[in-house]
Amino acid sequence: MQNLLFIILGLVLLILGGNWLLKSAVALSLRLEIPKIVIGMTVVSFATSAPELIVSIKAALDGFPDLALGNVIGSNIANLGLVLAITILLGSIDVRKSFYITDWPVMMMASVLFVGFIYFDGTLQRYEGIIMLVFLFAFLIYILRFQKTAVVDELPEDDKPLPLYKTALFLGLGGVALWGGSEFLIDGAVGLASKFGVSDRVIGVTVVSVGTSIPELAASIIAVIKKEKAISLGNLIGSNIFNLLAVLGITSIITPINVVDQGLLTNDIFWMLGISFLILPLVLLPKGLRLGWRDGLVLIAVYIAFVYLTIT
């Protein structure tokens, strides 16, 4: 009963946090005159990746490296196969060329870099974590200076700059609510899952990863409802980049991460690479530069297949 209450409380906090975070992101983009997708890929992405960071560091320090790795790998799969799928089922997203010139390639490069570091020796070393963080900072500098809007955004008429103190308040409240909600949700979900004797890796890539992806889901659904599509897509792409480069980068600098369950290397990382690559043909085909409900069904089907094959 306690686990169920934790899950419900976590979901409520995450929905509230997603709304507050979106308000602050829109206000920041207006105040700084920065394209909303840039805000989505930086401020919103980092805030919604905070649960993955907290969970991964704690898991690695507590001696559960598979939980730390599985959380990030599974979260990246869930962000695209579950969160993006639900988002585009609610409303199609028109995409500009800079999406596949900059944003998608960086996500793929971050994924390949991580796989290259972890695959051959089964360890993410401190120096590899430093390289990942350097790559992240280079990417952030690039998009802050050169990134153009990558999504056709339907600007609502009520877009008004908020006072600076309100922007900071919403940003702080959103981040705290997302963090607290994820803590409750993960505690409840892991408590339920552990009763079935499931391994750390399986818990990480399924239950915990979905739990830590709830902030992205909340922020993205609220963004679509409010027609802030640039933030919803930018948030998901940016979150995957942050998960790999920031979350695993920082975690491995604090303590090197060693793979215990080889399923992470023989199965999970390839699902992550595959679904990340799949986004490009879905954007380009059949009509080009659009993600619609059919693409959402494809992504949902891939995610269900991943979960089924991982658990069985």
Side-chain angles (χ1 to χ4, degrees):
M1 185 64 184
Q2 183 184 19
N3 290 329
L4 188 60
L5 288 175
F6 278 175
I7 290 173
I8 294 170
L9 179 58
L11 287 172
V12 170
L13 284 173
L14 291 168
I15 292 169
L16 290 173
N19 194 23
W20 290 330
L21 198 65
L22 180 66
K23 284 185 179 181
S24 66
V26 173
L28 274 175
S29 69
L30 291 169
R31 179 175 292 274
L32 302 176
E33 296 183 350
I34 294 174
K36 289 181 182 178
I37 193 166
V38 175
I39 297 295
M41 294 180 73
T42 54
V43 177
V44 180
S45 298
F46 189 78
T48 55
S49 289
E52 283 91 345
L53 178 61
I54 295 165
V55 169
S56 291
I57 291 175
K58 189 175 187 302
L61 290 174
D62 290 349
F64 302 104
D66 283 353
L67 194 59
L69 286 169
N71 168 40
V72 170
I73 295 170
S75 183
N76 276 23
I77 296 170
N79 279 350
L80 300 178
L82 184 64
V83 179
L84 179 59
I86 292 173
T87 302
I88 56 182
L89 284 172
L90 292 174
S92 62
I93 297 176
D94 293 318
V95 183
R96 294 193 189 276
K97 289 182 180 179
S98 55
F99 165 79
Y100 62 79
I101 292 174
T102 304
D103 310 330
W104 178 85
V106 171
M107 181 177 68
M108 285 305 302
M109 283 190 286
S111 302
V112 171
L113 182 68
F114 162 65
V115 171
F117 282 158
I118 198 83
Y119 183 74
F120 297 101
D121 61 0
T123 303
L124 202 58
Q125 305 282 3
R126 283 193 173 92
Y127 77 90
E128 293 170 334
I130 293 171
I131 292 172
M132 293 167 80
L133 279 183
V134 169
F135 183 43
L136 175 65
F137 286 130
F139 165 65
L140 291 178
I141 290 170
Y142 173 80
I143 64 169
L144 287 173
R145 291 190 62 183
F146 304 111
Q147 176 74 61
K148 295 180 180 179
T149 304
V151 175
V152 178
D153 190 26
E154 301 169 19
L155 286 172
E157 296 177 357
D158 61 351
D159 268 2
K160 295 178 182 178
L162 291 174
L164 190 58
Y165 79 92
K166 280 191 176 181
T167 302
L169 179 64
F170 281 132
L171 184 62
L173 286 174
V176 170
L178 289 171
W179 172 77
S182 294
E183 286 288 299
F184 281 117
L185 184 68
I186 292 164
D187 285 347
V190 172
L192 287 175
S194 61
K195 291 182 179 180
F196 296 96
V198 182
S199 71
D200 289 343
R201 170 203 156 224
V202 173
I203 289 176
V205 297
T206 55
V207 178
V208 177
S209 67
V210 171
T212 54
S213 287
I214 293 293
E216 284 87 348
L217 180 60
S220 293
I221 288 178
I222 291 167
V224 168
I225 291 172
K226 296 192 173 183
K227 298 186 178 181
E228 301 291 351
K229 294 179 182 179
I231 290 180
S232 68
L233 184 62
N235 170 39
L236 295 176
I237 297 170
S239 184
N240 276 18
I241 295 169
F242 270 85
N243 283 349
L244 292 169
L245 300 181
V247 174
L248 289 182
I250 293 171
T251 303
S252 61
I253 290 172
I254 294 173
T255 177
I257 310 172
N258 298 299
V259 174
V260 177
D261 189 332
Q262 293 301 306
L264 281 164
L265 301 180
T266 59
N267 182 72
D268 305 340
I269 59 174
F270 294 106
W271 278 97
M272 182 190 73
L273 284 175
I275 200 165
S276 297
F277 178 80
L278 179 62
I279 300 301
L280 184 64
L282 289 180
V283 166
L284 297 179
L285 301 173
K287 294 182 179 179
L289 298 181
R290 171 182 282 256
L291 287 170
W293 65 269
R294 292 181 182 85
D295 304 310
L297 293 178
V298 171
L299 290 171
I300 284 281
V302 171
Y303 185 72
I304 290 173
F306 162 70
V307 173
Y308 175 76
L309 295 172
T310 299
I311 293 175
T312 56

